């Protein structure tokens, strides 16, 4: 008897299958910066005995530094994923004034806007949020960097915070290419391959960090009109979570 597609039921992937898929996805992302590091180092080695080649050496060193930074970031993401999955991601929350905290983050991080403008909008009388400052900084940084990456030069990026009942709603809006409706359900998924390449781990980590803070994250987007990533934070003290489940 031939089994039809209608009779066949999808079964969830096993742990081994998930690990194999994850390894397959990350292999290319790790190999590319490693190849750039190797090529730059080999070129420097070859030209050392050829006399002064300042510009070429500077370009090689820049490539090595950029690739090393990218590898370091990916390793950090992998370590955080591991801590997320085993429930050991620490959360130490305290009352935070978003009107003071978010502008301070932007000043300290010196985000490379590269021709984009950043606008801040805070509702008057915004209540204090209950959040871990380190996790909140990472969430804000990840969402802002994603907005910069997908926004055309010269377009504005809006960082907004408003009260929403017993919560505070923070959103980051860009005017980039946006996403089709069918891609939205997996925009924050762990094992995904975004159209621009890469693993998309930052958004998955952002989602889990927001959940660890007692909030939820969602994305709204339309092709050609940009995207808005919004997340909530409790604005009343709650029992701090000791980790992610």
């Amino acid at each position: 008897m031939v089994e039809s597609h209608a009779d066949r039921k999808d079964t969830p992937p096993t742990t081994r299958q998930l690990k194999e898929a994850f390894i397959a996805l990350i292999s290319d992302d790790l190999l590319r910066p490693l190849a750039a590091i190797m090529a730059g180092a080999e070129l420097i080695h070859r030209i050392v005995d050829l006399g002064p080649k300042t510009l070429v050496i500077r370009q090689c060193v820049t490539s090595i530094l950029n690739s090393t930074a990218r590898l370091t970031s990916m390793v950090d993401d992998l370590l955080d994923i591991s801590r997320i999955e085993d429930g050991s991601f620490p959360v130490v929350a305290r009352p935070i004034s978003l009107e003071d905290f978010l502008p301070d983050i932007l000043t300290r991080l010196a985000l490379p806007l590269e021709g984009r403008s950043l606008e801040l909008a805070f509702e008057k009388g915004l209540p204090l949020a209950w959040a871990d400052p380190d996790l909140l900084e990472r969430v804000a940084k990840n969402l802002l960097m994603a907005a910069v990456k997908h926004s055309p030069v010269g377009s504005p990026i809006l960082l907004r915070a408003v009260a929403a009942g017993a919560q505070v709603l923070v959103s980051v809006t860009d005017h980039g290419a946006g996403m089709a409706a069918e891609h939205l359900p997996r925009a924050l998924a762990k094992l995904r391959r975004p159209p621009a390449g890469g693993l998309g781990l930052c958004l998955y980590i952002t989602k889990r960090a927001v959940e660890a803070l007692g909030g939820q994250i969602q994305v709204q987007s339309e092709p050609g009109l940009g995207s808005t990533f919004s997340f909530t934070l409790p604005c009343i003290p709650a029992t701090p979570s000791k980790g992610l489940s």
Side-chain angles (χ1 to χ4, degrees):
M1 178 179 178
V2 178
E3 183 184 22
S4 69
H5 288 288
D7 295 330
R8 190 167 59 241
K9 295 182 178 179
D10 293 332
T11 57
T14 64
T15 300
R16 180 177 179 180
Q17 289 171 328
L18 286 174
K19 287 182 177 179
E20 290 176 350
F22 186 75
I23 291 172
L25 281 172
I26 199 170
S27 295
D28 287 342
D29 291 282
L30 288 175
L31 287 174
R32 272 195 292 273
L34 281 173
I37 291 172
M38 180 66 70
E42 289 178 346
L43 184 55
I44 290 176
H45 180 72
R46 287 200 302 268
I47 67 176
V48 164
D49 297 328
L50 300 180
K53 298 287 183 179
T54 305
L55 179 59
V56 177
I57 292 176
R58 184 181 295 114
Q59 291 173 338
C60 292
V61 171
T62 298
S63 174
I64 290 173
L65 290 175
N66 290 341
S67 297
T68 303
R70 185 181 174 195
L71 276 175
T72 301
S73 177
M74 280 192 285
V75 171
D76 286 342
D77 286 345
L78 289 174
L79 290 174
D80 284 343
I81 289 291
S82 177
R83 296 164 73 196
I84 283 171
E85 300 304 336
D86 67 18
S88 63
F89 206 97
V91 180
V92 182
R94 63 174 175 80
I96 292 178
S97 169
L98 296 180
E99 295 170 282
D100 297 328
F101 187 79
L102 292 177
D104 181 61
I105 287 178
L106 300 177
T107 301
R108 287 188 295 101
L109 294 179
L111 294 173
L113 297 177
E114 300 177 351
R116 290 86 172 170
S117 62
L118 181 59
E119 301 174 0
L120 305 181
F122 299 106
E123 183 179 28
K124 187 176 181 180
L126 193 66
L128 297 178
W130 183 255
D132 179 301
D134 293 333
L135 273 182
L136 180 55
E137 177 174 320
R138 180 154 193 178
V139 168
K141 178 183 177 182
N142 285 354
L143 293 181
L144 287 169
M145 291 301 294
V148 170
K149 180 179 179 180
H150 295 98
S151 295
V153 174
S155 66
I157 296 170
L158 176 63
L159 175 59
R160 185 168 178 260
V162 299
Q167 297 178 314
V168 179
L169 178 69
V170 182
S171 61
V172 176
T173 300
D174 66 62
H175 293 82
M179 291 179 282
E182 60 267 25
H183 297 312
L184 294 180
R186 290 188 55 78
L188 300 166
K190 177 181 178 182
L191 292 179
R192 68 184 187 94
R193 176 70 71 177
L199 288 177
L201 288 179
C202 281
L203 288 180
Y204 174 72
I205 293 173
T206 300
K207 173 180 179 291
R208 294 306 302 268
V210 168
E211 292 171 349
L213 294 172
Q216 296 293 323
I217 187 170
Q218 62 178 357
V219 56
Q220 296 174 307
S221 185
E222 291 186 42
L225 298 179
S227 304
T228 295
F229 285 86
S230 304
F231 65 93
T232 57
L233 296 170
C235 58
I236 55 174
T239 303
S241 172
K242 294 183 179 180
L244 294 172
S245 59

